[in-house]
Amino acid sequence: MDVDSYLSTRGGLAPLRFREAVMMGLADDGGLLLPAAIPDVRPQLDAWRRLAYPELAVAVMRPFVGGALDDATFRALVARSYATFAHPEVTPVVTAGPVHILELFHGPTLAFKDVALQVLGNLFEQFLRESGETLTIVGATSGDTGSAAIHGVRGKAGIDIFIMHPQGRVSPLQERQMTTVLDANVHNLAITGTFDDGQRVLKELFNDLAFKRQYRLGAVNSVNWARVLAQVVYYFYGAFRVQERTGAAAIQVAVPTGNFGDIFAGYVAQRMGAPIRRLILATNENDILSRFFTTGEYGQGAVHPTLSPSMDIQVASNFERYLYYRVGEDPARVRELMAEFARTGRFQLPGADPLIVAGRGDTAMTLDAIRRYWREHHYLLDPHTAVGVAVAERLADAAVPTLCLATAHPAKFPDAIRQALGEDLARHPTLEALKSLPVRCVTLAPTCAALAAHIRATLAAKN
Ligand SMILES: *Cc1c(COP(=O)(O)O)cnc(C)c1O
């Protein structure tokens, strides 16, 4: 069955094809795009178990891509995307004490966002090549997303990417993961301000519709459907590997969560028929999502900086996709709830979802999990993964095997590892090598005028 037809959660768009959905990102009516139907793949599961990761990725994503790409082109695109991963299994499963760990950090920037952004970069390139158009991606980052996006599109024809980071306020490693990329289409900007200044400047630039049209601005946010879709694959892959080891009929999966993107992919996998009994949602102290799943209240709080910075989020941009299913695929109800949230900063839903349990792992629990897994199982957790493991220890059903998603390599967060263990145990050759590479970065005032002038001048000089 082809499900290559996409609708907005707010009901304001005529059905789109996969290509249009990928190029649009955020739906033009302010909602998020979802496939009109989700296929039941249970009859395919036994055949899928035998597939290597890239073949499984083709099989899982194929129905959602529809006629946008022919089989051979799509197969080659997926193979290219995962050839950049350092592990032959792409996302291997390792067993550490009581849990199984799905390592999603073997891509170029050592965080799980590579799994989706490597595919998204190739999809952009393919679609632009076919249409003859160009794309200017502009983003603001506090760390992980910017580097994964840069590595997703570096060297790609038809695309330029401008990424702002707050000067001196991202970790030195994360900064180098961005500024050492010297491809001619990659433009790093250190703004003399905060991350919030970057977000504000970005918003202003996207509100300049003439500029947006002239330069064909695109965003690298986590709401692009293709990012969710690429992440669905590893839920199947991980479940199959755990089933092989345990013989279990179904598993549970613990997911450290910020924007609800990764865990929403698990929810889609579940709806497709992956052998997943339930999802364990884990947040840090920024707990809007764990509060929602325990109390029914979705209410915004202040953002607290933690040891797991990629989860320091209070408005989860992908949550609206889940909400759409939770209210019975009713766009009018989604519009009502999102309007109430915009007006009052909260809303309340009755009942609970038997598929999702949720909890919060604070700083003490994070450090404790890192310490115990190192001492008892000789496995080093990064602080994001540790939040998921700590919450899984409290909430997991002991009768069902648990798969914990490992979202980053521990060497990306040396301060947290030092705080937990008293020494710098986490190393990775890719990160060590960055220290001696040349960098390129332009310093910019945090204003929309400065950014627009810089983009104009840079692109004029290239063409
Ligand atoms: C982005 C990120 C997360 C959170 O993922 P969401 O899809 O936003 O829920 C967790 N861990 C790491 C290391 C990340 O980079």
Side-chain angles (χ1 to χ4, degrees), residues 111-113 144-145 222 231 256-263 310-311 313 382 384 407-408 413:
F112 89 97
K113 292 186 173 71
D144 271 354
T145 307
S222 69
Q231 292 173 187
T257 307
N259 265 317
F260 208 82
D262 199 1
I263 194 164
S310 297
M311 292 153 58
I313 283 161
D382 104 284
H384 304 78
T407 52
F413 300 95

Side-chain angles (χ1 to χ4, degrees), residues 29-339:
D29 66 350
L32 301 186
L33 297 169
L34 279 173
I38 291 182
D40 178 356
V41 303
R42 281 172 297 180
Q44 277 103 284
L45 292 182
D46 280 327
W48 284 7
R49 277 174 212 290
R50 293 191 289 275
L51 301 178
Y53 193 94
E55 282 102 61
L56 180 66
V58 170
V60 171
M61 293 194 276
R62 192 72 192 101
F64 297 95
V65 173
L69 298 168
D70 63 59
D71 279 337
T73 306
F74 184 52
R75 199 169 287 281
L77 187 150
V78 169
R80 242 180 6 259
S81 303
Y82 294 116
T84 61
F85 278 59
H87 197 285
E89 279 197 70
V90 183
T91 65
V93 173
V94 301
T95 300
V99 300
H100 305 276
I101 294 183
L102 179 61
E103 293 186 339
L104 301 173
F105 52 69
H106 294 285
T109 72
L110 312 183
F112 89 97
K113 292 186 173 71
D114 291 327
V115 178
L117 282 164
Q118 288 293 307
V119 173
L120 184 63
N122 285 321
L123 284 172
F124 278 155
E125 181 180 53
Q126 180 72 31
F127 293 156
L128 293 169
R129 184 185 299 139
E130 290 169 9
S131 69
E133 290 166 343
T134 59
L135 180 68
T136 306
I137 294 171
V138 189
T141 190
S142 56
D144 271 354
T145 307
S147 63
I150 285 171
H151 285 261
V153 304
R154 64 184 297 181
K156 301 230 180 292
I159 306 175
D160 279 275
I161 183 167
F162 293 82
I163 295 290
M164 295 178 272
H165 67 265
Q167 187 172 44
R169 296 182 199 229
V170 297
S171 87
L173 276 179
Q174 289 182 326
E175 183 177 324
R176 287 194 152 257
Q177 283 189 303
M178 297 188 279
T179 58
T180 54
V181 179
L182 301 182
D183 299 72
N185 70 331
V186 173
H187 315 286
N188 277 289
L189 308 172
I191 56 162
T192 50
T194 62
F195 173 63
D196 290 339
D197 290 328
Q199 295 282 65
R200 175 181 48 76
V201 166
L202 188 66
K203 212 169 191 176
E204 279 176 44
L205 188 74
F206 275 82
N207 282 336
D208 181 345
L209 296 182
F211 190 91
K212 185 177 172 194
R213 252 194 313 276
Q214 185 184 353
Y215 289 96
R216 304 193 54 85
L217 294 194
V220 276
N221 40 36
S222 69
V223 301
N224 197 296
W225 166 252
R227 283 184 67 176
V228 174
L229 178 59
Q231 292 173 187
V232 171
V233 177
Y234 54 68
Y235 283 87
F236 283 94
Y237 190 83
F240 292 154
R241 301 295 82 78
V242 173
Q243 285 185 305
E244 284 160 9
R245 287 175 204 191
T246 63
I251 66 162
Q252 56 197 336
V253 187
V255 189
T257 307
N259 265 317
F260 208 82
D262 199 1
I263 194 164
F264 182 74
Y267 184 76
V268 173
Q270 224 277 344
R271 287 182 83 95
M272 291 171 75
I276 295 172
R277 186 154 305 159
R278 55 181 203 160
L279 299 166
I280 301 170
L281 179 151
T283 67
N284 61 26
E285 283 92 334
N286 298 285
D287 61 356
I288 179 170
L289 289 168
S290 56
R291 275 186 287 121
F292 171 75
F293 284 97
T294 48
T295 69
E297 186 194 35
Y298 191 68
Q300 201 177 348
V303 177
H304 305 283
T306 71
L307 295 175
S308 41
S310 297
M311 292 153 58
D312 292 349
I313 283 161
Q314 280 287 0
V315 179
S317 51
N318 266 290
F319 181 70
E320 186 171 332
R321 285 193 162 109
Y322 169 77
L323 191 61
Y324 176 80
Y325 290 110
R326 178 68 181 265
V327 301
E329 306 183 35
D330 176 358
R333 184 77 181 120
V334 171
R335 282 199 304 273
E336 239 169 61
L337 290 167
M338 293 314 292

